[in-house]
Amino acid sequence: MRPVADIDRGFRRVLRALRQYQRGPNVTVGIQGTEASAPREFGQTNVKLAAVHEFGSRDGRIPQRSFIRATVDRERGLIHTLLQRAAHDAAATGNAARGLGVVGEKVQAKMVQTIDQSIGLKPLTRAGIRSKKKPGTKPLIDTGQLKGAISWKVHGA
């Protein structure tokens, strides 16, 4: 009877990558970091302005114009596919950051696209159009500061 030989063909590396992934590498996309607290006119910050548009103003004068939640809901299939690819990449290479970075970049681009193309956003009122610094009728586009504040960050990888 021959002795049994245990030949590791990368399985331990895969297990280490999966354990690392299980501990919580993740990616966040939205208005965050220094851009979140960047001052805007009227004492606003980017994160306050984003919250008002995401949920609507308390007085009802600004309707909900979700560019974060609506994008994630609309692109759920794409995000799921990208996360699966990121998990496979992390298992194969031991590096979760690269795949999660791709997820962050794509979701950020989709959020910007939602704003640029006004996908699902309620149109501006006449008063809203008059209040804009630059002429135009697209919601969430005035100076471009809010759109430029959308970023992604990989954590724990």
Side-chain angles (χ1 to χ4, degrees), residues 93-146:
T93 66
N95 181 358
R98 185 175 66 197
L100 290 173
V102 170
V103 174
E105 286 177 10
K106 298 276 187 184
V107 174
Q108 175 189 16
K110 291 294 184 178
M111 287 180 187
V112 168
Q113 181 184 34
T114 296
I115 293 172
D116 282 343
Q117 297 178 3
S118 298
I119 301 171
L121 303 179
K122 292 185 179 177
L124 292 172
T125 62
R126 287 187 191 128
I129 293 169
R130 283 193 305 270
S131 71
K132 290 174 72 81
K133 289 182 178 183
K134 294 181 181 177
T137 58
K138 286 188 175 185
L140 300 179
I141 298 178
D142 193 359
T143 65
Q145 187 175 349
L146 181 64

Side-chain angles (χ1 to χ4, degrees), residues 21-155:
Y21 192 73
Q22 193 175 27
R23 281 193 297 268
N26 61 72
V27 61
T28 55
V29 184
I31 309 296
Q32 55 192 345
T34 57
E35 288 298 320
S37 58
R40 294 183 55 97
E41 61 276 354
F42 311 116
Q44 293 270 355
T45 60
N46 281 323
V47 75
K48 284 183 181 178
L49 183 64
V52 166
H53 285 291
E54 192 66 25
F55 301 104
S57 64
R58 290 182 186 184
D59 62 9
R61 291 183 4 196
I62 300 174
Q64 175 177 301
R65 292 188 178 107
S66 174
F67 62 95
I68 297 173
R69 292 172 301 138
T71 301
V72 170
D73 289 345
R74 188 180 64 251
E75 301 294 343
R76 189 169 305 280
L78 171 67
I79 294 168
H80 180 74
T81 300
L82 292 171
L83 287 171
Q84 282 183 321
R85 286 183 193 156
H88 287 285
D89 188 46
T93 66
N95 181 358
R98 185 175 66 197
L100 290 173
V102 170
V103 174
E105 286 177 10
K106 298 276 187 184
V107 174
Q108 175 189 16
K110 291 294 184 178
M111 287 180 187
V112 168
Q113 181 184 34
T114 296
I115 293 172
D116 282 343
Q117 297 178 3
S118 298
I119 301 171
L121 303 179
K122 292 185 179 177
L124 292 172
T125 62
R126 287 187 191 128
I129 293 169
R130 283 193 305 270
S131 71
K132 290 174 72 81
K133 289 182 178 183
K134 294 181 181 177
T137 58
K138 286 188 175 185
L140 300 179
I141 298 178
D142 193 359
T143 65
Q145 187 175 349
L146 181 64
K147 183 174 73 169
I150 300 171
S151 64
W152 59 272
K153 182 171 169 110
V154 173
H155 307 272

